[in-house]
Amino acid sequence: MSLEPEVDLPGEAALPGTLPEELRAELVAFRRDLHMHPELGNQEFRTTAAIKGRLEAAGLAPRVLATGTGLVCDIGEWDGGRPMLGLRADIDALPIPDTKSECAYRSTVPDRAHACGHDVHTTVVLGAGLVLADLHRRGLLPRPVRLVFQPAEEVLPGGAADAIECGVLDGVGRMIAVHCDPRVDAGRIGLRQGAITSACDRLEIGLDGPGGHTARPHLTTDLVTAAARVVTDVPALVGRRVDTRSGLAVTWGRIESGHAPNVIPQHAELSGTVRCLDIDAWRQAPDMVVAAIDEVANLHGAKPEINYVRGVPPVVNDPDVTDLLRDAMAARRGAQSVESTEQSLGGEDFSWYLEHVPGAMARLGVRTPGERTVRDLHQGDFDADESAITVGVELFTAAALLDAAGA
């Protein structure tokens, strides 16, 4: 039985690949099941099994990645000719509690929540795969498409690097993805050519000194003051050693030292992030930041131990692939359904794919139109207007068809 509706819905283009009501309801239920059972990065065994089972039920042959979680699945068989279009979803959740008080599908796992919308991303790619598989069976999909369900997006440097090592890009020429945006109304997407996210690295520092009595700071290393100077002086130094247009920023999230008011401690710890709008400045950041920390710590007699954890580069949207998403959305919902979006300071490991192939990410609107409260990402009360699932599925199916037609 075809998944295509018997008649066109009002306002929809004649392009095939729209969702019948029965599948819409199934996808909402699938998303709610994922939302109730969130799993952290590289632990997404139940999620992987659920995706695999549904794809197999549709007659497809998904392959679990060698990492043990995540999958790749082709719609149609690649003949070695023109490379495929890849549709990417991330499947992991966050280590925070779900604080939605009145929600039948809130998380059932303590201190775990799908508070970044990965359950929506996963459902969108799953739904697109089911629709495209139906089109393929009917001879309406001219070229094969690859689905990538990637684990561990939230774990630096991101599960995308592992997925690439597993061969998910073999035979893929372009990649597309969506990310939930609670600032954009459901039924719309946000697009931007060029960088749409920022680079993000993690910084962990230990400072050591002999310690002593607060009555005699001149006889020891005043480690608390040294840590305080690192906190204030390092961002200032870095800000004067890089083009300010790069947006390179060192921001601290934790500082810890000492146990008593009259004891100068022997150890202090700091951690934070390094974010950057520009990919060239991001490549220079580790040497620049480490040098600044060394200078400030040594000036105050503290011995630094620095762990600079490389994260992800910016997601840089390819102009042609961005236009593909724009044309696909316009075909489904009209040109007015696409809005411009700004570059975010958040990090996204979709960028690793774009180091190898051109691609683009769209902001998928998940705010209920007219709602005044913005439930931001990475907050325990985050939720999405589930009509966004249909929008994402139809965006991806249109993109796949338009990409194939552009041969």
Side-chain angles (χ1 to χ4, degrees):
M1 179 174 120
S2 170
L3 295 177
E4 199 65 28
E6 294 298 324
V7 295
D8 288 338
L9 298 176
E12 292 183 330
L15 197 67
T18 54
L19 278 174
E21 188 58 40
E22 180 181 354
L23 184 54
R24 296 181 199 213
E26 180 193 346
L27 292 177
V28 168
F30 189 91
R31 179 258 169 170
R32 292 186 177 189
D33 179 72
L34 295 186
H35 200 85
M36 292 173 67
H37 301 93
E39 297 173 299
L40 299 185
N42 296 315
Q43 301 173 24
E44 313 96 331
F45 297 103
R46 183 186 185 278
T47 303
T48 297
I51 301 165
K52 182 173 182 286
R54 185 60 185 91
L55 292 172
E56 288 177 338
L60 299 170
R63 308 182 300 279
V64 176
L65 301 183
T67 52
T69 60
L71 310 94
V72 60
C73 182
D74 290 349
I75 313 298
E77 185 174 350
W78 184 52
D79 61 6
R82 182 187 171 199
M84 292 177 284
L85 178 70
L87 315 181
R88 176 267 200 170
D90 38 10
I91 67 175
D92 58 324
L94 286 163
I96 63 174
D98 189 333
T99 61
K100 296 188 292 294
S101 58
E102 297 181 6
C103 180
Y105 52 86
R106 65 179 295 186
S107 172
T108 61
V109 184
D111 299 321
R112 303 286 185 268
H114 268 296
C116 198
H118 294 189
D119 53 337
V120 174
H121 307 164
T122 299
T123 305
V124 163
V125 173
L126 173 66
L130 297 177
V131 173
L132 291 171
D134 179 70
L135 293 178
H136 173 66
R137 283 190 294 269
R138 298 161 55 202
L140 298 177
L141 183 64
R143 292 190 178 274
V145 174
R146 175 163 294 168
L147 315 179
V148 176
F149 298 92
Q150 174 217 302
E153 190 277 331
E154 299 287 354
V155 182
L156 288 179
D162 292 331
I164 292 167
E165 286 189 11
C166 291
V168 301
L169 288 181
D170 295 347
V172 170
R174 303 206 281 186
M175 290 285 286
I176 58 175
V178 293
H179 197 294
C180 290
D181 191 336
R183 302 164 302 170
V184 178
D185 283 351
R188 301 174 64 82
I189 64 168
L191 283 176
R192 175 187 176 90
Q193 290 188 5
I196 193 171
T197 70
S198 302
C200 179
D201 299 336
R202 190 171 73 244
L203 191 57
E204 299 168 347
I205 305 170
L207 297 176
D208 291 294
H213 199 291
T214 56
R216 293 177 289 278
H218 59 292
L219 299 180
T220 185
T221 295
D222 187 350
L223 208 61
V224 172
T225 296
R229 299 307 301 189
V230 168
V231 167
T232 57
D233 292 353
V234 167
L237 274 176
V238 170
R240 289 296 178 267
R241 294 177 178 178
V242 68
D243 190 327
T244 55
R245 291 172 295 183
S246 71
L248 181 62
V250 179
T251 307
W252 306 103
R254 185 179 74 93
I255 179 170
E256 185 175 343
S257 184
H259 301 284
N262 60 344
V263 178
I264 294 175
Q266 296 179 316
H267 183 70
E269 294 181 357
L270 304 87
S271 59
T273 59
V274 180
R275 297 182 186 270
C276 187
L277 300 174
D278 178 74
I279 195 165
D280 292 328
W282 175 73
R283 292 189 173 112
Q284 303 170 32
D287 291 342
M288 195 182 313
V289 172
V290 167
I293 294 168
D294 279 335
E295 287 181 35
V296 176
N298 291 332
L299 181 64
H300 293 275
K303 181 181 178 182
E305 183 175 336
I306 305 166
N307 182 24
Y308 193 107
V309 182
R310 206 58 159 143
V312 294
V315 172
V316 181
N317 281 353
D318 176 80
D320 290 339
V321 186
T322 304
D323 287 344
L324 172 67
L325 288 172
R326 187 183 310 277
D327 292 344
M329 191 65 178
R332 293 297 190 203
R333 306 207 167 224
Q336 75 284 350
S337 63
V338 181
E339 60 184 64
S340 297
T341 190
E342 61 187 12
Q343 183 178 4
S344 164
L345 278 168
E348 232 292 348
D349 77 350
F350 183 66
S351 55
W352 290 124
Y353 300 105
L354 306 193
E355 294 279 291
H356 300 272
V357 299
M361 170 175 281
R363 301 287 186 193
L364 180 66
V366 296
R367 180 179 62 193
T368 300
E371 184 176 5
R372 306 185 77 124
T373 302
V374 176
R375 297 176 177 175
D376 205 1
L377 301 171
H378 287 219
Q379 300 297 312
D381 65 346
F382 173 78
D383 204 356
D385 186 317
E386 291 171 320
S387 66
I389 295 170
T390 296
V391 176
V393 169
E394 296 185 353
L395 169 69
F396 277 174
T397 56
L401 292 168
L402 292 176
D403 179 70

